[in-house]
Amino acid sequence: MALTDDDGRTAQDASPADTTPRAGSPAADAAVPGARMPRWLPRAMVLALALVAAFQLGSWAFHQLTGLLINILIAFFLALAIEPAVGWMASRGMRRGFATFLVFLGLAIAVAGFVTLLGSMLAGQINKIVEDFPDYLDSVINWVNQTFHSHVRRVDVQEGLLHSDWLRKYAQNSAAGVLDVSGQVLGGLFQLLTITLFAFYFAADGPRLRRTLCSVLPPARQAEVLRAWEIAVDKTGGYLYSRGVMALISGIAHYILLEALGVPYAPVLGVWVGLVSQFIPTIGTYLAGALPMLIAFTVDPLYAVWVLVFVVIYQQFENYMLQPKLTSKSVDIHPAVAFGSVIAGTALLGAVGALIAIPAVATLQAFLSAYVKRYDVTDDPRVHGHPRRGPGGPGLLTRARRLIWQRQAEEPESEGSSA
């Protein structure tokens, strides 16, 4: 039976929609079971796995090298701090390596002298406490017997302490902790040696290091790197210089007070207060004043009060009079910014971040100031904290009051005219 024209047209119209996909097309590969996967898919999977593995390896290496990176950062800032002294000696014909050695030798002598004096002071105080301990114990026992009407004897107290479980456990823990302390001391010495070596290389080979960095940069970037390096040297050196001057003044002032009160080891305590209060941010003042107060208390409790009062007064004088004059040119940052930078540095790198936070922020601020465009501030009263007023006229509130009074005066006149 032959198809009619209507059936033929119907078949022709329906055939394009019912045709099967051509072989080799994506639709056919997706529809036919057992078809091969696209060629790009294995490579994409391998690339994704390689990226994940590289990220995991980099993260693991970074965590393993965090201590070394922090030591290098400390060494870099130490090299920036001694760069002015090394550069000054190198400009007068001395080799940079020998000049760096002399600077480090001077620092080592100063640190060794300070540690020796502080150790002798602490050893003397410990010996004094041990020698006077029986007298202190007798005074405490007499006070307890008189106050509570008891009959405690020093021999009983000593025997109780010697045969107590607490003392035995404390001795065992102390013996076991000797190895831990020894390990920490050796680790600290190794860390100090690492920092010293890196700082020596950074300071002695500073010009070579700058040339190496600039050799991989275009000329415009080289100028920016050299400018940033110069600003970092100026700010770091200026920060340490200003802190050193304030430490000297603070040490002399506290030495005079302690010597006048007759507190022993006044020179060492003066050096302690000066260094700790200036080079340990935020809590340095409290740590510095605690030791002189404790030793003054052993002489006379009233002397400890005098030391506390003097520390508080001197701190105010330093914050509002001395520090702004010394740091206005070297480290010109707002006190709130300095405090916030110390907190942020402590949160990121601990004590190391607290030490390098202020010079780092000062360097960043000075470097960005060259690229931030500033404009003249308009002469507006609101800039000075005053409310805005009209040009030559009264304020808005005054004009509103005058308008209300004028309307109240016009109301009686309008009522009389209407009547």
Side-chain angles (χ1 to χ4, degrees):
M1 177 177 170
L3 295 175
T4 60
D5 294 340
D6 294 338
D7 296 335
R9 285 195 303 268
T10 303
Q12 291 176 0
D13 294 340
S15 60
D18 296 337
T19 55
T20 58
R22 291 177 301 173
S25 63
D29 294 339
V32 178
R36 295 185 305 171
M37 68 176 63
R39 296 179 179 178
W40 56 268
L41 186 58
R43 288 179 293 179
M45 295 175 62
V46 171
L47 180 60
L49 292 176
L51 291 176
V52 172
F55 175 77
Q56 294 292 337
L57 180 61
S59 177
W60 172 81
F62 178 79
H63 285 87
Q64 295 295 323
L65 298 176
T66 300
L68 178 61
L69 296 177
I70 293 176
N71 292 337
I72 294 176
L73 183 63
I74 298 173
F76 179 72
F77 273 91
L78 181 59
L80 293 179
I82 66 174
E83 176 66 25
V86 175
W88 180 81
M89 288 187 286
S91 63
R92 281 155 178 79
M94 188 178 297
R95 296 180 58 184
R96 288 189 64 91
F98 186 67
T100 306
F101 172 75
L102 290 180
V103 173
F104 273 99
L105 181 62
L107 291 175
I109 292 174
V111 172
F114 173 71
V115 172
T116 302
L117 292 175
L118 185 63
S120 62
M121 181 194 67
L122 293 177
Q125 291 297 317
I126 291 174
N127 291 331
K128 183 180 179 181
I129 291 174
V130 172
E131 292 175 357
D132 297 340
F133 181 76
D135 297 333
Y136 293 150
L137 185 59
D138 289 338
S139 62
V140 172
I141 290 174
N142 293 332
W143 179 81
V144 170
N145 291 333
Q146 293 176 2
T147 304
F148 300 99
H149 304 287
S150 59
H151 300 283
V152 180
R153 296 183 305 172
R154 187 176 70 179
V155 178
D156 298 336
V157 175
Q158 292 177 350
E159 290 181 356
L161 289 175
L162 292 175
H163 296 86
S164 62
D165 295 335
W166 173 82
L167 184 62
R168 180 176 54 82
K169 292 180 180 179
Y170 179 78
Q172 293 176 355
N173 294 332
S174 300
V178 169
L179 296 177
D180 297 336
V181 174
S182 301
Q184 292 178 0
V185 170
L186 292 177
L189 291 176
F190 179 76
Q191 184 178 6
L192 180 61
L193 179 61
T194 304
I195 294 172
T196 303
L197 290 177
F198 275 107
F200 182 86
Y201 292 141
F202 286 151
D205 293 339
R208 184 185 301 177
L209 180 60
R210 288 191 287 269
R211 288 194 301 268
T212 303
L213 291 177
C214 293
S215 63
V216 297
L217 298 174
R221 298 298 181 185
Q222 293 178 14
E224 294 180 0
V225 170
L226 294 177
R227 174 180 171 80
W229 193 291
E230 183 180 3
I231 291 175
V233 170
D234 293 339
K235 293 300 179 180
T236 306
Y239 172 74
L240 292 180
Y241 167 76
S242 60
R243 288 293 174 179
V245 173
M246 287 191 294
L248 179 62
I249 298 174
S250 176
I252 293 175
H254 288 84
Y255 162 73
I256 294 174
L257 172 68
L258 297 173
E259 188 68 25
L261 294 177
V263 178
Y265 305 102
V268 183
L269 291 176
V271 175
W272 164 266
V273 173
L275 293 179
V276 174
S277 63
Q278 300 303 323
F279 290 99
I280 297 182
T282 309
I283 62 173
T285 302
Y286 308 103
L287 293 177
L291 184 59
M293 288 175 55
L294 180 62
I295 297 180
F297 184 83
T298 60
V299 178
D300 190 346
L302 185 60
Y303 289 171
V305 178
W306 282 108
V307 172
L308 175 61
V309 172
F310 182 81
V311 168
V312 173
I313 295 176
Y314 180 82
Q315 188 64 30
Q316 303 305 315
F317 165 75
E318 180 183 285
N319 291 336
Y320 294 101
M321 298 293 295
L322 187 61
Q323 183 174 353
K325 293 182 178 180
L326 292 177
T327 60
S328 59
K329 296 182 179 180
S330 58
V331 187
D332 189 13
I333 60 177
H334 194 273
V337 177
F339 182 72
S341 64
V342 170
I343 295 177
T346 305
L348 292 175
L349 298 176
V352 176
L355 289 175
I356 67 176
I358 294 179
V361 171
T363 302
L364 181 62
Q365 177 180 341
F367 182 73
L368 292 179
S369 62
Y371 300 95
V372 177
K373 187 176 181 180
R374 298 183 181 273
Y375 302 90
D376 294 334
V377 181
T378 59
D379 190 9
D380 196 308
R382 290 173 293 182
V383 175
H384 306 285
H386 304 297
R388 183 179 180 183
R389 295 182 179 276
L396 179 61
L397 184 59
T398 304
R399 292 199 301 269
R401 289 177 179 176
R402 289 182 180 179
L403 183 60
I404 294 174
W405 293 340
Q406 184 178 0
R407 288 182 178 180
Q408 290 178 354
E410 291 177 355
E411 287 179 358
E413 296 180 359
S414 61
E415 292 177 358
S417 60
S418 62

